[in-house]
Amino acid sequence: MQERSSVAELAAILRRELDRYSSGEKLPSSRALVEQHRVSPVTVSRALAELVAEGLVVTRPGAGAFRAEPRSEAARPVDTSWQEIALSAEPAGDQVPRSVDASGVVATLATPAPGVIELNGGYLHADLQPERALAAALARAGRRPGAWGRPAVEGVTELRAWFAREIGGPGGALAASDVLVTAGGQNALTAALRALAAPGAPVLVESPTYPGMLAVARASGLRPVPVPMDAEGVRTDLLADAFRATGARLFVCQPLFQNPTGAVLAAERRREVLRVARAAGAFVIEDDFARQLVHADAPAPPPTLMAEDRHGTVVHIRSLTKATSPNLRVGALAARGPVLDRLRAIQVVDTFFVPGPLQEAALELVGSPAWARHLRLIAGELTARRNALAAALHGQLPALVERGYGAGPGSGPIVPPGGFHLWVRLPDGTDEAALTGAALRAGVAVAAGRPYFSAEPPAAHLRLSFAAAAGTAELTEGVRRLRTACAQAGVPTG
């Protein structure tokens, strides 16, 4: 059983058993709970922490855990009706409402209930995370001289140099001084959008695209303008049209293993993206989130757009989080020219700096032999899981597969050579909300496609992750449950 499931189950048991104890009475010791419920000490500690957070239990160092005293009075109701006016009030003019819709992001961050198969996750399953290597790296980092001192706001020099080599490629197109260390990719994306576009400005985005980016853009008062994609990435002819029609000075893209479609931007379109943006006097944010998620049967990925950029057009984003753990929130922003000063200023205002020990741990990890072994491991595992999910869809839900994974109806499936998503187009008229709800009741969590579109979607979709599940058998079972949900929601399956 997964650790988080064990914690939830033990917390539920202890919650029910609290009625056996009077207020202030001592609960069994942690050792007794370990023996009684046959769980680990960590599980006991985390379960008790949940009850403490709920106000049901109090702990006293050296004494143990006790049932909490009942609250003397009920919490007073708070009248927050005024906030509805304050939050909706916008200044005069053409500014875009700075509403925040995090539902698409929360869907991939939320922990599913015990027994629910996670096909909507945004991170590697715990079995694929390099926990031992991370623990060793963190231990070594903590002993480094100066690790606990105040780091430079730009980041640890050696880590910046490592990112520069990774982003710029063997040609040395990038220097350490061109890189800022960030608190993960989302933090880098937020800083880049704020630096490159003023509130109310249009920003061109791929359609579909990552909901977290759309949420950041809208929260910053920007107007996302969709540019359609096909199997070879963004339609560059439509990109040029969009620049002319909107006057935008910014385009955000994921050229490699795009989220959610998995598409890789074709070689001729890579050159065209740079040419079109240059002609428009615009920046390109290259969100390179999945470069370390290449599958074992795929060729080496193309270089970054930044490695081919000779005009300072590209602002590059890279993160270590997707290939390691959601807790290793270390990433990088790379840029050349005056824009780097603006990015640095925003980083300082937002976060001051990324904690030094975390940066040192990241440096220890990527510099160890365990790093290359880990990348080989996940390359093989992701390939096997992708194939298992695709095979299960072909066998149990052929009507969905026939409509294509991302390029449109009748175009055939796109089996991505990297990343960890399949993008499934649903039959016309499908109610996404009804299907995802039925799926959850059937014991499988899937991500609806609507949050991935900045405007009206052309059809209903699902994004299915093959990295967050426990293995190939669980993926197959997840598709079986999805088939059950389709039948309940009236979605054709074959």
Side-chain angles (χ1 to χ4, degrees):
M1 180 181 295
Q2 296 183 24
E3 183 68 30
R4 65 188 182 198
S5 300
S6 301
V7 170
E9 291 179 4
L10 179 58
I13 293 172
L14 296 179
R15 204 176 285 112
R16 291 193 298 268
E17 293 181 350
L18 279 178
D19 290 337
R20 295 164 44 190
Y21 301 90
S22 58
S23 298
E25 185 177 353
K26 185 177 181 180
L27 275 61
S29 68
S30 295
R31 179 176 296 179
L33 292 174
V34 167
E35 294 176 354
Q36 178 183 352
H37 298 284
R38 299 181 181 274
V39 293
S40 70
V42 173
T43 298
V44 169
S45 175
R46 291 180 176 174
L48 288 173
E50 284 194 14
L51 300 187
V52 169
E54 295 170 9
L56 301 176
V57 168
V58 294
T59 56
R60 299 170 191 162
F66 302 80
R67 180 172 179 179
E69 299 285 346
R71 295 181 180 179
S72 58
E73 60 178 279
R76 296 178 180 176
V78 177
D79 182 5
T80 60
S81 55
W82 65 273
Q83 293 184 3
E84 187 173 352
I85 299 173
L87 292 174
S88 61
E90 295 292 336
D94 295 329
Q95 292 190 3
V96 177
R98 301 182 71 170
S99 59
V100 181
D101 180 4
S103 57
V105 181
V106 171
T108 64
L109 295 177
T111 301
V116 174
I117 295 176
E118 192 173 2
L119 297 188
N120 65 338
Y123 299 104
L124 295 174
H125 186 268
D127 291 346
L128 299 182
Q129 296 174 21
E131 290 188 358
R132 294 179 63 180
L134 281 168
L138 191 59
R140 294 194 302 269
R143 296 191 296 268
R144 281 191 170 197
W148 293 91
R150 183 173 58 198
V153 295
E154 297 88 353
V156 172
T157 301
E158 295 84 355
L159 184 58
R160 295 167 69 198
W162 181 84
F163 274 119
R165 292 190 298 272
E166 289 287 305
I167 297 168
L174 213 60
S177 57
D178 299 321
V179 176
L180 305 173
V181 177
T182 68
Q186 189 73 3
N187 172 245
L189 187 57
T190 301
L193 285 169
R194 289 179 58 197
L196 300 175
V203 53
L204 306 186
V205 301
E206 296 167 319
S207 183
T209 191
Y210 167 52
M213 186 274 295
L214 296 176
V216 169
R218 289 175 176 135
S220 301
L222 305 179
R223 293 190 291 112
V225 177
V227 183
M229 299 180 62
D230 61 21
E232 295 186 331
V234 68
R235 290 272 306 276
T236 47
D237 56 333
L238 299 179
L239 178 65
D241 291 342
F243 272 123
R244 285 191 294 269
T246 64
R249 293 294 180 264
L250 180 60
F251 171 51
V252 185
C253 64
Q254 295 177 331
L256 190 65
F257 316 140
Q258 197 259 358
N259 179 12
T261 66
V264 176
L265 189 61
E268 63 276 8
R269 293 193 186 182
R270 292 165 55 84
R271 294 187 291 270
E272 189 67 3
V273 164
L274 295 178
R275 187 197 67 77
V276 168
R278 173 69 174 158
F283 286 100
V284 173
I285 294 179
E286 180 185 20
D287 183 1
D288 202 20
F289 77 103
R291 185 161 293 269
Q292 291 146 343
L293 302 175
V294 182
H295 297 171
D297 58 357
T304 64
L305 291 182
M306 171 157 267
E308 301 177 6
D309 173 31
R310 297 295 178 264
H311 300 285
T313 300
V314 177
V315 172
H316 184 96
I317 293 174
R318 179 73 64 87
S319 174
L320 293 173
T321 306
K322 291 296 187 184
T324 55
S325 162
N327 292 299
L328 187 63
R329 306 211 63 77
V330 175
L333 266 172
R336 288 167 292 201
V339 70
L340 187 63
D341 291 332
R342 184 178 293 187
L343 289 166
R344 182 188 295 109
I346 288 178
Q347 275 290 100
V348 171
V349 170
D350 281 354
T351 60
F352 290 1
F353 49 78
V354 179
L358 191 60
Q359 293 189 59
E360 297 284 2
L363 188 59
E364 286 280 355
L365 176 67
V366 298
S368 70
W371 179 240
R373 291 196 298 269
H374 170 65
L375 293 183
R376 288 194 297 270
L377 169 68
I378 61 174
E381 286 289 339
L382 290 177
T383 305
R385 295 176 188 215
R386 177 204 67 194
N387 292 343
L389 180 57
L393 289 170
H394 275 282
Q396 301 192 51
L397 294 170
L400 273 59
V401 176
E402 288 171 1
R403 301 186 66 82
Y405 286 139
S411 61
I414 296 175
V415 179
F420 41 70
H421 314 118
L422 293 184
W423 182 239
V424 177
R425 182 182 173 113
L426 298 171
D428 294 341
T430 297
D431 184 333
E432 284 183 359
L435 178 55
T436 55
L440 199 57
R441 292 190 295 274
V444 57
V446 296
R450 181 62 185 90
Y452 293 82
F453 291 92
S454 61
E456 292 77 6
H461 291 79
L462 290 181
R463 193 198 72 162
L464 304 176
S465 169
F466 47 84
T472 56
E474 189 167 275
L475 288 167
T476 301
E477 172 61 18
V479 173
R480 188 195 67 77
R481 297 182 186 184
L482 181 58
R483 179 184 175 88
T484 299
C486 286
Q488 294 174 353
V491 179
T493 58

